[in-house]
Amino acid sequence: LELHLPIATQFIDAVVSQQLDPRESFGVLQALGTHINQHAQGIAADPNQQNLVGQALDVTNKLQQIIENTERSIQAEGEAGGEGQDPGGQSDELQQLSQVKQEILRQESSTRQEIKKAESEQAQRLKDFEAAQKALRDSNNQTVTDLSEPF
């Protein structure tokens, strides 16, 4: 992720600054979203990596925003009835964007589920530790009480 997040950020910046047309980069959009989510899922259970996972989710959210903005742009072009536009081509573009967006959303959802699962497991381990600690304390207190009673 430490390598791929800057690349994704460069891609996002290029789209935002209109140096790159997302309509020509469906494959890149999908590959970035998929790859970053896969990495994030792999480290989601590690509490020490939560900052990096958060950055990954932020990047995938921005990729989704690019897709949604591109969808709106294509729809607006279709509604304006631009001359020389191929309505079938717009439909194909919208379908491709929709597929990319759904894949990114699905993977982001899986990443979020991994995070929740890890948080739940960590909370359960903490509860178990606290219960064991209390049982040990109670046992020690009972031992002290037994030893302090006269024979």
Side-chain angles (χ1 to χ4, degrees), residues 37-100:
N37 271 312
Q38 288 172 343
H39 279 297
Q41 285 174 12
I43 63 171
D46 184 351
N48 297 323
Q49 299 292 328
Q50 292 309 302
N51 184 40
L52 201 53
V53 172
Q55 290 175 29
L57 292 175
D58 183 52
V59 165
T60 59
N61 184 40
K62 288 177 182 175
L63 292 173
Q64 289 172 38
Q65 288 173 354
I66 288 171
I67 292 169
E68 290 169 6
N69 290 341
T70 304
E71 285 175 327
R72 282 193 284 276
S73 173
I74 292 169
Q75 289 168 345
E77 286 175 11
E79 291 170 4
E83 293 183 24
Q85 293 289 330
D86 175 18
Q90 288 177 337
S91 176
D92 290 344
E93 278 185 299
L94 287 171
Q95 185 176 6
Q96 282 181 308
L97 278 171
S98 178
Q99 290 171 347
V100 169

Side-chain angles (χ1 to χ4, degrees), residues 102-119:
Q102 292 303 315
E103 180 63 20
I104 291 172
L105 284 171
R106 184 188 65 72
Q107 291 187 346
E108 182 179 345
S109 175
S110 294
T111 301
R112 291 187 187 282
Q113 287 175 350
E114 285 293 321
I115 291 168
K116 286 184 182 194
K117 179 181 171 189
E119 288 172 347

Side-chain angles (χ1 to χ4, degrees), residues 132-145:
Q133 203 173 26
K134 182 183 181 307
L136 182 60
R137 221 178 7 255
D138 291 346
S139 174
N140 286 342
N141 287 341
Q142 184 61 44
T143 301
V144 168
T145 303

